[in-house]
Amino acid sequence: MTTKQTLFQCPVEAALSLLSGKYKCIILWHLLEGTHRYSELQHAIPQATPKMLTQQLRELENTGVISRKEYSLTDFGRTLSPIIESMCDWGKTYMSDRILPKDSSDT
């Protein structure tokens, strides 16, 4: 694991330094289910190009969040589980309230 010393201005900035990236949270969400091979992740996240998926996986590995061969969460990575699960719950609510079509009787 490689880490660089970074001074963060707030805790949210520290969390985002690990989680920011187009597919990182989606990767972590899939890995909460258990170990996956690269091809399984590629199939689960078809919108990610192979280059982008590889880059995001390497960044997660370099920060100690996942381990590689078959990809899985490290003990440190498992500490992110409540965050990812909360994001999933919030996303479900957002999708049902804002994105999915409402019944015409609601108007």
Side-chain angles (χ1 to χ4, degrees), residues 35-95:
T35 300
H36 289 281
R37 293 182 174 180
Y38 178 84
S39 60
E40 294 170 327
L41 290 170
Q42 197 171 29
H43 184 263
I45 312 168
Q47 66 275 28
T49 64
K51 179 181 176 182
M52 180 58 75
L53 183 59
T54 298
Q55 177 184 338
Q56 300 279 278
L57 288 166
R58 281 186 186 148
E59 289 175 12
L60 288 167
E61 183 182 10
N62 288 339
T63 57
V65 174
I66 66 171
S67 61
R68 192 169 126 192
K69 182 66 173 172
E70 293 184 329
Y71 293 94
S72 61
L73 294 173
T74 60
D75 289 341
F76 175 59
R78 282 196 238 1
T79 66
L80 296 169
S81 179
I83 297 168
I84 301 300
E85 289 170 357
S86 291
M87 289 174 65
C88 183
D89 292 342
W90 185 89
K92 287 177 186 175
T93 301
Y94 175 75
M95 288 169 58

